[in-house]
Amino acid sequence: MNDLVTRKCVTDFLDAFYAGDAARVVDCCADDFDSITYAPIELFPHLGQQRGKHWAEEAIRIQQQRYASRRAEITFMAVESAKAATTVRVALEKRNDRRVVQFEIADFFTLRDGLIVTHRSFFDSFDLVQQVLGHDLTDAFAASIRNAMRG
Amino acid sequence: MTEHSLWCFSRALHRAINERQPDDLAALIDDNVEWAVYGPIDMFPFLGARRGRAAVLDVCKQIADNIRVHRFERETVMLGVDSGASMMRYSLTALDSNRPISLRLAQFAQFKAGLLTSMRVVVDTFDLVEQTLGRPIHLPKIA
């Protein structure tokens, strides 16, 4: 597959996702679209493993419900034939307290016939949990973690 | 055909961590390298940002003091002329507690003249914390 086709599809997907344009996101995905975002689903029910391209509509609905504004900037993109990897810097303004949560997300895409068929995504989930909850969890667990590392 | 810098770097990194032999790694790192492994540094002091070869070698020693890599697999890799992006799956042990940890991570590396100039690593850190604790952290459900 042409690198330019892959680059355009992935760029369209990310632009549309953060713009909240579910129809455009769906247009970028194959029917058997499979997505895994590695994150705790108690707080992020639209993440985890999701199948089918209509996942995007629900994910965007939840994000729009929680966040007043969403900004994203692609900071890195590597493309090799039908595969792409990106990093995106994201800033979301929470509706409940107007605080802005910021994080860097890494996404990996595989395309088939010009459409995204698999999507895998990572971010510093512990930090984002703290930002979403609005309080620091480090004190509660730092000593336990240090003990666990020591045995 | 010359081997891509990512493969040389990867071998040297694992040698530095598992065999505590950092010489190969030192030879492959730029003086002004930028290094960031995003995560809670109060819990895992070897995470976070570093700048410069000495700081990166020091943090690799800290990693070697804390974990052993048993197995790793590159599930996806994309190579550019001077860059590499990969999604990897690691099986580790926290050395002192002997606790097994399994994690996936995203790695983005940039090179110049064969030397590492930038490394960024993204991990599902909430899962890492839970595995290290050996129990789940209960979170409020948000509908």
Side-chain angles (χ1 to χ4, degrees):
Chain A
M1 185 182 291
N2 186 325
D3 285 5
L4 289 175
V5 173
T6 302
R7 183 176 290 272
K8 182 176 183 322
C9 180
V10 167
T11 304
D12 283 350
F13 174 91
L14 292 169
D15 286 348
F17 184 78
Y18 290 105
D21 186 342
R24 262 179 70 210
V25 175
V26 167
D27 284 348
C28 296
C29 301
D31 288 340
D32 54 347
F33 176 77
D34 176 84
S35 173
I36 301 176
T37 300
Y38 296 94
I41 56 172
E42 298 96 320
L43 272 191
F44 308 106
H46 54 300
L47 302 183
Q49 181 155 29
Q50 306 287 338
R51 290 204 171 91
K53 59 185 179 181
H54 292 286
W55 151 81
E57 291 160 353
E58 179 65 2
I60 287 171
R61 186 190 66 75
I62 290 175
Q63 285 210 347
Q64 287 178 333
Q65 194 176 56
R66 293 182 179 185
Y67 306 108
S69 70
R70 306 189 303 156
R71 284 181 286 116
E73 178 195 357
I74 297 173
T75 49
F76 174 91
M77 183 180 289
V79 175
E80 194 179 314
S81 187
K83 294 185 295 182
T86 60
T87 60
V88 179
R89 189 172 296 131
V90 181
L92 309 171
E93 186 188 346
K94 290 160 65 185
R95 287 192 190 277
N96 62 345
D97 59 10
R98 313 307 289 185
R99 285 187 180 155
V100 175
V101 299
Q102 296 186 74
F103 57 99
E104 187 105 359
I105 187 162
D107 294 291
F108 290 82
F109 302 89
T110 307
L111 281 70
R112 188 185 60 222
D113 300 329
L115 297 172
I116 298 166
V117 67
T118 64
H119 168 238
R120 300 289 181 264
S121 194
F122 302 81
F123 52 87
D124 179 356
S125 47
F126 192 85
D127 180 59
L128 189 58
V129 165
Q130 293 183 114
Q131 292 189 61
V132 168
L133 293 177
H135 60 84
D136 194 307
L137 297 173
T138 310
D139 284 350
F141 298 110
S144 304
I145 289 287
R146 284 195 293 267
N147 288 338
M149 293 298 281
R150 276 200 292 269
Chain B
M1 192 171 163
T2 312
E3 187 179 38
H4 194 282
S5 303
L6 182 67
W7 306 132
C8 308
F9 173 79
S10 181
R11 274 198 307 274
L13 179 64
H14 290 103
R15 190 153 188 250
I17 291 173
N18 271 2
E19 298 170 29
R20 294 169 179 268
Q21 296 288 333
D23 293 352
D24 293 350
L25 184 64
L28 294 173
I29 297 176
D30 188 83
D31 286 347
N32 298 309
V33 63
E34 291 188 4
W35 173 282
V37 185
Y38 299 100
I41 58 173
D42 292 335
M43 298 179 183
F44 304 99
F46 48 85
L47 302 184
R50 303 289 191 281
R51 189 182 179 101
R53 182 193 288 127
V56 168
L57 290 173
D58 185 58
V59 81
C60 289
K61 182 180 178 306
Q62 287 180 46
I63 293 170
D65 288 342
N66 282 279
I67 63 167
R68 178 171 180 80
V69 176
H70 288 288
R71 202 158 53 88
F72 74 96
E73 179 189 349
R74 259 176 231 280
E75 295 183 322
T76 300
V77 62
M78 270 150 281
L79 299 177
V81 177
D82 280 324
S83 65
S86 44
M87 182 168 72
M88 303 175 71
R89 184 172 187 168
Y90 273 93
S91 296
L92 315 168
T93 305
L95 272 180
D96 290 343
S97 68
N98 214 27
R99 195 185 292 278
I101 295 170
S102 169
L103 56 87
R104 279 194 173 81
L105 57 82
Q107 182 189 67
F108 299 88
Q110 291 187 309
F111 301 90
K112 190 174 176 184
L115 301 181
L116 182 77
T117 57
S118 168
M119 170 67 85
R120 284 183 299 156
V121 176
V122 186
V123 187
D124 175 5
T125 46
F126 194 86
D127 181 55
L128 174 63
V129 170
E130 286 189 322
Q131 288 191 56
T132 309
L133 285 171
R135 62 181 169 83
I137 298 170
H138 297 290
L139 292 172
K141 277 200 172 175
I142 299 180

